[in-house]
Amino acid sequence: MSPLVWALEWRLARRRRRLFLLNVTVPLLLVLAVALASAPVVHAAAVFVVLFVIHPTFGSAVPLVRDAETGMVARMLRGGVPPGAYFLERAAAAALLDTLQLLPAVAVAWWGLGGRGSALLPLLAGLVLALWTANLTGILVAAVARSVAETALFAAVAALLLLHASGVFRTGPPGSVAASFEGAAPFRLLHEALLASGSALPTAGVWAALIWAAALPGVVLLLAPRIGVGLAGVALRRSM
């Protein structure tokens, strides 16, 4: 893998200072509003994890399709950047940027939910794994979308379905099909670490989060040539 795409994403982030500041400030203000409202821990944790997952899913999928519409993706791939390297480097850079941007909001969420020290390490691990998984999910979403509007819709649906499967909105009864899906869903660790910030509840979902974080790059690599062709076609359809 070449560092070209990684360096390009970071250079763009440094030049888009206003966007970077907004990506720090807006989630922080939303989290602060919920934290100061003294909402029940279960409800507040659900709001926080939805915000922390939807933010990177949209932030990965929508800019990728927008870059495809301008022809930037096609130029990068035709210029010799391997599709797999392009998409994985882009996702890695975005995940690290998202981590830096969301850390203040996550700190406030942890404090607002109770600030238990034992939950801090699982929360940070869950955040990093969730952001990586969400950014890769955004790339797969972009692969099936044909416009920015479609991308936003598909990203919302994909994120909410995975959040629901992770038990964010409702925990399935033990032994049920819903509980089985929850045990294998990617965002359970982040959700339960947020819940554990206000109680002594143990956190679960570590292995599921690790498996998703390890398996999705392989899926993206396998599909990368087709994703590249599909995104290159977005610019052609837009120009017709």
Side-chain angles (χ1 to χ4, degrees):
M1 292 176 64
S2 163
L4 174 64
V5 180
W6 174 278
L8 175 62
E9 292 298 315
W10 277 92
R11 190 175 299 116
L12 289 173
R14 287 197 302 270
R15 293 189 176 183
R16 296 169 177 170
R17 295 179 183 177
R18 183 173 181 273
L19 179 60
F20 187 93
L21 183 61
L22 286 173
N23 284 335
V24 173
T25 305
V26 173
L28 177 59
L29 292 177
L30 292 173
V31 167
L32 186 60
V34 176
L36 294 178
S38 299
V41 170
V42 174
H43 298 159
V47 172
F48 294 152
V49 74
V50 168
L51 173 63
F52 298 152
V53 168
I54 284 185
H55 175 89
T57 308
F58 271 74
S60 172
V62 173
L64 181 56
V65 171
R66 190 174 60 238
D67 289 345
E69 288 183 342
T70 64
M72 176 181 171
V73 174
R75 287 193 294 271
M76 292 290 291
L77 299 181
R78 290 170 185 168
V81 179
Y86 177 74
F87 295 124
L88 290 185
E89 286 183 43
R90 183 170 179 137
L96 183 53
L97 281 168
D98 288 335
T99 302
L100 296 176
Q101 292 165 352
L102 288 175
L103 273 179
V106 172
V108 171
W110 171 74
W111 165 78
L113 291 170
R116 291 181 62 90
S118 59
L120 190 54
L121 184 58
L123 178 56
L124 293 176
L127 176 70
V128 171
L129 292 172
L131 293 178
W132 172 237
T133 298
N135 272 282
L136 292 169
T137 301
I139 290 175
L140 296 176
V141 166
V144 298
R146 292 297 177 263
S147 68
V148 170
E150 275 192 16
T151 305
L153 175 61
F154 294 165
V157 171
L160 291 173
L161 285 176
L162 289 174
L163 286 165
H164 180 61
S166 301
V168 173
F169 308 122
R170 181 185 178 186
T171 301
S176 65
V177 175
S180 300
F181 277 112
E182 185 179 331
F187 304 126
R188 185 184 182 191
L189 173 61
L190 177 59
H191 181 229
E192 296 206 357
L194 285 166
L195 289 173
S197 299
S199 66
L201 292 173
T203 54
V206 176
W207 285 110
L210 288 171
I211 289 171
W212 277 79
L216 273 186
V219 174
V220 171
L221 276 175
L222 181 65
L223 299 178
R226 293 187 179 183
I227 296 174
V229 171
L231 290 173
V234 171
L236 292 175
R237 285 188 293 271
R238 183 178 175 85
S239 64
M240 293 176 62

